[in-house]
Amino acid sequence: MKQVEFKKRRKQLMKRIGQGNIGLIGSASEQTRNRDVSYPFRQDSDFYYLTGFNEPEALAVFIPGRPQGEYILFCREFDEKKALWEGAHAGLMGATKDYQADDAFPIDDIDDILPGLLENKGKVFYPMGRDSDLDHSLMDWINHLRGQTRSGISAPMELVSLEHIVHEMRLIKSPAELKLMRKAAEISAQAHVKAMQFSRPGLFEYQVEAEIVHHFMNNGLRAVAYPSIVAAGKNACTLHYTENADSLKAGDLLLIDAGAECDHYAADITRTFPVSGQFNEPQKQLYQLVLDAQYAAIAEIKPGTPWNIAHEASVSVLTKGLVKLGLLKGRTAKLIKDEAYKAFYMHRIGHWLGMDVHDVGDYKINDEWRLLEPGMVLTIEPGLYIPSDCATVDEQWRGIGIRIEDDVLVTEDGHEILTSLVPKSVEAIEALMQAA
């Protein structure tokens, strides 16, 4: 993503912070995997959203109206030895030249410099409670300033959540963001198609996972957006199953929930299909019910619609269908009121999608479901999960888990399904697998 995008975001943030105040946000830290080995570094989403700076040990400072420059970046100084062992890093010169910071200072000097930047500021906007080291340092800096009141220096009197501002900004995607999300969606969709073509009885779940991740990486997307779920048979009834260690058996369904990340932007797709290439009758009936629920929910995605309407549409379709198939008994309206469907459909219809797979942004405003707006991206993912030991249903339904998930963009006049390249009708899935 070009630096002009990050600069535009910072300008918007400065307006919301207001002159006379200051904003702070720290980078993610490197995390130890074991002994002296770290996990692959992944930048904090909010920090990256505002800076585009992809290194640990950094702090961004925003001071609207500061004559010497409004955007300051504290980061590591360039170290030739570190560059030899670990690769290139920006250093102070790179922070200003490549990342357009107005000023850059060594992160090791932060205790000497930052208190001066806090002087006479009214409010401090920062992610409260998210970084204990920053919490403690900020209190130390503020207390240091309080000790200088006789010199005419005032300390900030109010701490405000920076996240509330940034998360509302992140909720509406720009054209540049949507370009990355479309790429993530396209490559993820292709990977799901390959997984359908590849799957057959006798393989292991992790082999299918490897096929998916291979396609991500082979197309330049080296990170998964979340741990892949490859769940065969009754494993699909565990919503966040990630062990991916069992074998694929003839007659089972395979649920795959997997998505790639493109420059910090996620895709999130789920498909469920028969390992042997053909649904049996109970599988087909439950699958079609979930698909009908998804169609009904997606039809509600348009500007001005409250967030919960899509979920209510899915609940209505699924509950009626479960009564018709005999898995629930009673009047549909009462079953919905009593939430009887939650025995088999225990999650909501979806979530915001963006830099995080479960992305930021409020679902309610003033205790009312928020209205959808153009530029929002969300998932639509109804499901049914019938435990293998469920004694209240006929044996033919037991051990079946189904979820169908697509990524949906709210447009000016309706919606766009970003992940439509993956087949999801019974006929299309069977045709694809049998051809393979």
Side-chain angles (χ1 to χ4, degrees):
M1 188 176 290
K2 295 180 179 178
Q3 279 298 314
V4 65
E5 182 80 7
F6 300 108
K7 189 173 183 178
K8 188 188 305 180
R9 294 168 182 172
R10 290 193 295 270
K11 186 176 180 180
Q12 186 178 353
L13 177 71
M14 301 281 188
K15 287 182 179 178
R16 300 194 185 193
I17 290 176
Q19 291 200 24
N21 302 314
I22 186 172
L24 311 173
I25 187 168
S27 68
S29 302
E30 289 184 300
Q31 300 296 319
T32 301
R33 181 183 184 275
N34 60 301
R35 197 168 168 80
D36 58 351
V37 177
S38 297
Y39 284 103
F41 179 72
R42 205 292 189 171
Q43 187 58 279
D44 175 82
S45 294
D46 289 340
F47 182 88
Y48 189 82
Y49 180 82
L50 295 169
T51 67
F53 192 73
N54 202 24
E55 295 182 22
E57 299 180 62
L59 181 85
V61 182
F62 311 103
I63 310 178
R66 179 175 178 262
Q68 304 94 322
E70 298 180 310
Y71 169 39
I72 301 166
L73 190 59
F74 288 86
C75 62
R76 301 174 299 183
E77 294 186 84
F78 185 79
D79 184 328
E80 288 188 7
K81 186 175 180 181
K82 182 182 283 289
L84 175 64
W85 283 88
E86 300 177 15
H89 48 283
L92 304 184
M93 185 179 297
T96 54
K97 180 182 176 183
D98 299 328
Y99 295 94
Q100 298 187 4
D102 297 315
D103 267 330
F105 300 109
I107 190 70
D108 292 337
D109 294 345
I110 195 166
D111 288 329
D112 297 324
I113 298 172
L114 199 51
L117 299 175
L118 291 167
E119 287 183 9
N120 304 320
K121 299 297 184 292
K123 300 176 183 178
V124 180
F125 291 76
Y126 88 107
M128 293 183 286
R130 197 170 74 184
D131 182 339
S132 59
D133 289 339
L134 181 57
D135 287 339
H136 292 144
S137 294
L138 182 57
M139 290 301 100
D140 288 343
W141 298 329
I142 290 175
N143 286 331
H144 173 74
L145 292 177
R146 285 173 176 166
Q148 301 182 54
T149 54
R150 292 183 182 179
S151 302
I153 294 172
S154 65
M157 297 297 291
E158 189 174 345
L159 303 180
V160 184
S161 171
L162 181 74
E163 293 156 304
H164 180 71
I165 297 173
V166 177
H167 292 178
E168 284 297 300
M169 291 169 59
R170 283 176 54 185
L171 187 54
I172 306 297
K173 307 302 187 288
S174 70
E177 291 177 286
L178 291 173
K179 182 178 180 181
L180 296 175
M181 294 190 73
R182 285 191 175 95
K183 183 175 180 180
E186 180 182 4
I187 291 172
S188 300
Q190 292 168 353
H192 275 263
V193 171
K194 285 187 172 291
M196 287 182 182
Q197 295 170 321
F198 176 75
S199 297
R200 60 186 182 276
L203 292 178
F204 283 85
E205 293 164 340
Y206 57 76
Q207 291 177 295
V208 181
E209 180 185 14
E211 187 75 7
I212 292 167
V213 175
H214 172 265
H215 187 80
F216 293 168
M217 289 199 172
N218 208 36
N219 286 272
L221 305 188
R222 295 194 57 203
V224 294
Y226 53 94
S228 301
I229 297 170
V230 183
K234 65 181 182 180
N235 293 336
C237 296
T238 301
L239 272 66
H240 288 164
Y241 172 85
T242 55
E243 190 172 350
N244 300 351
D246 282 355
S247 62
L248 277 56
K249 298 178 179 63
D252 278 350
L253 294 180
L254 179 62
L255 184 155
I256 298 177
D257 188 338
E261 187 175 274
C262 179
D263 192 10
H264 296 79
Y265 286 83
D268 187 4
I269 305 174
T270 306
R271 290 294 186 268
T272 310
F273 56 90
V275 170
S276 302
Q278 190 166 7
F279 292 91
N280 64 34
E281 194 56 33
Q283 291 169 349
K284 184 185 293 185
Q285 291 183 57
L286 284 179
Y287 182 89
Q288 189 60 51
L289 177 55
V290 175
L291 184 59
D292 289 343
Q294 198 208 30
Y295 285 146
I298 290 176
E300 300 294 344
I301 304 303
K302 53 185 176 292
T305 300
W307 164 265
N308 65 311
I309 296 299
H311 179 70
E312 291 177 358
S314 70
V315 166
S316 178
V317 171
L318 288 174
T319 305
K320 289 176 184 175
L322 289 169
V323 170
K324 185 175 181 180
L325 294 175
L327 282 83
L328 289 177
K329 294 179 174 61
R331 292 186 300 107
T332 299
K334 188 173 189 308
L335 291 169
I336 291 174
K337 182 180 179 181
D338 294 343
E339 298 185 333
Y341 58 87
K342 283 191 172 180
F344 309 119
Y345 178 37
M346 59 289 296
H347 58 79
R348 294 192 65 82
I349 192 63
H351 50 80
W352 302 127
L353 183 69
M355 297 185 78
D356 301 311
V357 66
H358 295 150
D359 207 34
V360 295
D362 292 334
Y363 293 89
K364 283 187 172 183
I365 298 177
N366 296 326
D367 208 33
E368 296 288 335
W369 292 105
R370 84 180 303 154
L371 304 181
L372 298 179
E373 300 176 44
M376 293 176 170
V377 181
L378 61 152
T379 65
I380 297 294
E381 50 177 312
L384 286 174
Y385 314 89
I386 320 298
S388 55
D389 60 352
C390 183
T392 63
V393 303
D394 191 87
E395 189 175 355
Q396 65 177 329
W397 310 114
R398 297 175 192 171
I400 297 176
I402 297 166
R403 184 164 65 253
I404 307 169
E405 177 180 23
D406 281 296
D407 305 343
V408 184
L409 165 66
V410 184
T411 63
E412 293 288 345
D413 56 359
H415 62 261
E416 174 190 345
I417 301 175
L418 303 180
T419 48
S420 59
L421 290 177
V422 197
K424 60 183 177 182
S425 72
V426 168
E427 297 76 17
I429 290 173
E430 290 184 341
L432 176 67
M433 296 191 67
Q434 290 169 20

